[in-house]
Amino acid sequence: MEANWRWSLVTAIAPITWGTTYWVTRHALPLDHPLWGAVLRALPAGIVLLAVSRRLPRGAWWWRSAVLGTLTTGAFFALVYVAAQLLPTSVASTVMATSPVVMIAVAWLLLAQRPRVLAVVGAALGLVGVALMLLTAGADVDPWGAAAAVAAMTMSSIGFVLATRWSGGVDVVSSTAWQLLAGALVLLPVAVAVEGAPPELDTRALIGFAYVSLVATAVAYLAWYAGLRHLPAGTVGLVGLLNPVTGVLLGTLVASEHLNAQQTAGVVVVLLGVLLGQPSIGATLRRWRSPAAEISPRTAGDRRPRPAAGGSAPASCATPAAPTPTGTRSPGGSSTAGSSAAGGSEPTSSSCSCLHDRPPLTTHR
C-alpha cells in the first residue's frame, strides 16, 4: 500500500510540472512558434536522457520508439497546436481531461487491466471537476478543433498504454530518451514546413526552454513512465488531472488571477476523483466493508490445529477410552476396563482430533 502511494507521488511530478508550462510559455517563450517550441522542448530532453542512459535502441525498439514517439510527442504536439488554434483553452483542456477514461478502456483491451469501479467513478468526477474549473458559458466549439483535441487525447492515451505493454527488458531512462528523440524528429519537418526557420531566442526564452525541456519534459516524462510501470494505467491517467489543477492554482498564486466559487468546487471535485482512483483507497474501503465475521462453533473448530501424523495431540483434544462391556476379563484374569479390548483399540494420538470433529461413538448391542 505504501508503495502505491509512493509511486502515485512520483507520477504526480509529471502533471504538476506540465501545469507550470502554461505560465512559463506565456511569459517566457515565443508564442508564434508553437511547433518549434515543441521541437526545442523534446529534442534537448531526449539528448540529455540518452547521454545518461548511453544506450541505443536494439531490435524491435527502433520501430517501437518511432511509434511511441509519434503518438505521445510528435503527432500529439502537432494536434494540440491545431486544437489550441481553433478552440478556447477551456474547451481543449476539458476534452483532454477525458484521457483517464480512454486509458482505462485501452488498458482493459491491451493489458487486460480490468477497470475498477472506483477508478471509473474517479475519472467521471475528474471530468466534471475540470469542466467546472475551465468551461464558461458561450464558449464556441469548432468541429475541426474538437476533432484535433480528441485525436490528440486518444493517440497519447494509446501511446502511454503501449509504452507499458512494451516496457519489459528496457530501463525507463533509455525508453523515455528514445521516445522523446523520435517524437522530436517526427515533428521537426512539420515545424519547418509550417513555421519556417526556428525563432530567435533571448536570455529569457533560453531559460524558459531550459526549464520546460529539462524539468517539464525530461524529469516529467521519466516520472510518468515510471508510474505506468508500477500503477494501473487508469490510476496514472487520473493523476494526470493534476495538470489543469496546477495551471489554475498557479495562475491564482503567481498571476493574481481570481479563483471563483465554481473553480474552487472544480478543484475539490478533481482532487476527490484523483483520490478515489488510487488502488490503496479501494483496498482500504474493501477492508472496511468486510469486518471480521463472527466465529461459529463449527468455524472455530475448523480453525483448530490438527496434529500431524505421528505427533502428539493438542492439549485441547480429549482422548476417551473405547467403550468396553463391563465385567469382561482378559485371558490373564485382569479387567479390560481402561485398556484395549479384543477387536477394538483405543484411539492413538496420531488419529486424535478434536471432539466436535469426531463422529459420535455408538455401542453395538
Side-chain angles (χ1 to χ4, degrees), residues 47 56 70 99 126 129 168 206-207 212 248 255 274 280 317 322 352 357 365:
I47 292 174
L56 291 176
T70 300
S99 176
L206 287 173
I207 295 174
V212 298
V248 170
V274 173
S280 300
C317 283
C352 171
D357 291 326
R365 298 184 180 274

